[in-house]
Amino acid sequence: MFHPDLSRSGRVFSRSRSEHFFRRGRQVFPTGITRVTVDHEPSPLYIARGEGAFLIDVDGNRLLDLNNNFTTLIHGHGFLPVADAVADLLHRGTCFSNPTEHEITLAELLIDRIPAVEHIRFVNSGTEAVMFAIKAARAFTCRPGVARIEGAYHGAYDWAETGQAVSPAIWNDPQRSPAVPAYRGMPPAVGEEVTVIRFNDVEDLERRIASAAPSLACILIDPMPSRAGLIAPEPIFLAAVGAIARQHGIIVVADEVLNLRQSYRGASARYGLQPDLIAAGKIIGGGFPIGAIGGRREVMRVFASDSGTPPLPQGGTFSANPVSMVAGRVAMEAMTEAAFASLENLGDSIRAGLRREIALRGAAFSVTGAASLFRIHPKRKEPTDFREAYLEPAEAELMARLSRHFLECGILLPNGAAACLSTAMTRADGDAVVSAFADFLSTLDANPTEAGM
């Protein structure tokens, strides 16, 4: 029989209907869910609707959303300008085999904002955007290899995800390659074409690129790798990436699927990286599926079919569909420079508040992130690369407890991923985040050994 949880705030947190749907889901889906990223311990929360900065689940629980579908919804839920624009469009058709004006309008907006983008191509997801960016680099350089950052997440293309699932088991073994397969049965040849580099380590970058350079098509880099810790890039490292890529004729691909939300002009412009190609997605679709590859006109010519079959053929049944194009345009038009600045100010306030609570208690935590993104680490020292951010089992359990505590406080905090803000959030919402964290730290005061303090 279900027994509702009583949170520290004294309110009842029910899961009965979510548990009902989970039981149904287990009859039709492996593990009962359709995305490995869905938290299902003990059961997923099934959502009935979203309202601005909040989610309301099927049990009526109202939760401040710091996930926003993994950073996609920069305006939160039910953003009225997007809803109205899409509702108007639905009566006139949702997808065609022919182009529409809508794709040109969104392309013009993105090209006008992002310095590295001169031409653009739309696809359906961030994974596709990264995949076609890698393929474009190969078609341009006539080389197969990919260099990527250890532990970073770049979607589900084999050559993009190899080197993502690394662990301490291989770090001190010179016989083990850091190009660890992401799944069982991945062709061994994939790992042979992937070079894995430690983030913010110039010496490691130079050594590994020098040995692999003749076969490398691109260096794939997220300017602030989220899954690998949401760690700030060191300017000297990004400068070295650009210099060594130019030296060896390697294409720099910036994966900004998540981090485009860091500024009006994106993350590369914010941190001084000068990529040849950028992969984008998430916020540029206004809550609908989207991906985009943009970059230097010369490199983007690999998609051109003016003279017959292009060096890189690319199509997609739903690529540049009008719904995603219109929703994306409306959402991005609302993200003015002032809107980005306001969101960053809220992010600064939350990060400062979290750090203040850590300092007050001398707690063994740290906070990373920038703009509208933050991540809490159970580490006394702020990590500078994936290995330092890696969670040992006890640390992982502590972070799971943190997410559960936030949930009891009415806040959905991603476990093991970036927390993000939306324009629908208020200063009071930010204060609630800091207050929930302070409350969690107070629960650890009685057992400092458990907290690692």
Side-chain angles (χ1 to χ4, degrees), residues 65-74 222-227 229-233 255-263 266-268 270-271 282-283 335 339-352 354-355 366-377 382 413-414 416-423 425 433:
D65 189 5
L66 295 180
N67 187 305
N68 289 293
N69 195 27
F70 301 97
T71 77
T72 294
L73 300 169
I74 200 163
D222 182 336
M224 183 179 276
S226 171
R227 188 77 65 83
L230 200 66
I231 293 164
D255 178 356
E256 296 200 32
V257 172
L258 185 151
N259 275 305
L260 193 74
R261 66 161 39 229
Q262 286 217 22
S263 81
S268 292
R270 179 186 181 106
Y271 295 111
K282 295 189 184 286
I283 69 167
M335 284 310 299
F340 273 104
S342 177
L343 207 49
E344 179 153 355
N345 286 339
L346 180 57
D348 287 342
S349 174
I350 291 173
R351 286 185 293 273
L354 296 173
R355 288 169 178 148
S366 57
V367 179
T368 59
S372 58
L373 299 161
F374 71 90
R375 187 164 173 180
I376 300 169
H377 299 265
E382 187 175 309
L413 177 74
C420 70
L421 314 181
S422 69
T423 60
M425 284 184 63
V433 172

Side-chain angles (χ1 to χ4, degrees), residues 104-117:
I104 299 173
T105 306
L106 180 56
E108 288 172 339
L109 182 152
L110 296 172
I111 289 170
D112 182 62
R113 291 190 183 192
I114 307 170
V117 177

Side-chain angles (χ1 to χ4, degrees), residues 117-153:
V117 177
E118 296 176 341
H119 271 184
I120 200 165
R121 195 88 171 196
F122 289 114
V123 290
N124 295 297
S125 68
T127 283
E128 277 190 67
V130 171
M131 176 181 72
F132 276 109
I134 290 172
K135 288 185 173 186
R138 287 170 173 162
F140 185 78
T141 62
C142 297
R143 303 172 187 169
V146 175
R148 51 103 75 217
I149 301 300
E150 183 178 67
Y153 178 75

Side-chain angles (χ1 to χ4, degrees), residues 59-191:
D59 288 290
N61 300 302
R62 184 176 174 86
L63 304 166
L64 178 65
D65 189 5
L66 295 180
N67 187 305
N68 289 293
N69 195 27
F70 301 97
T71 77
T72 294
L73 300 169
I74 200 163
H75 295 296
H77 302 277
F79 184 56
L80 196 57
V82 167
D84 286 345
V86 169
D88 180 65
L89 180 71
L90 292 179
H91 297 284
R92 291 181 279 123
T94 58
C95 58
F96 315 103
S97 56
N98 294 71
T100 67
E101 178 185 357
H102 305 304
E103 64 200 70
I104 299 173
T105 306
L106 180 56
E108 288 172 339
L109 182 152
L110 296 172
I111 289 170
D112 182 62
R113 291 190 183 192
I114 307 170
V117 177
E118 296 176 341
H119 271 184
I120 200 165
R121 195 88 171 196
F122 289 114
V123 290
N124 295 297
S125 68
T127 283
E128 277 190 67
V130 171
M131 176 181 72
F132 276 109
I134 290 172
K135 288 185 173 186
R138 287 170 173 162
F140 185 78
T141 62
C142 297
R143 303 172 187 169
V146 175
R148 51 103 75 217
I149 301 300
E150 183 178 67
Y153 178 75
H154 297 289
Y157 184 48
D158 283 8
W159 288 265
E161 59 183 351
T162 295
Q164 170 189 312
V166 290
S167 69
I170 70 164
W171 291 338
N172 297 317
D173 184 351
Q175 305 304 314
R176 302 280 295 278
S177 169
V180 177
Y183 62 89
R184 266 192 328 192
M186 178 182 282
V190 173

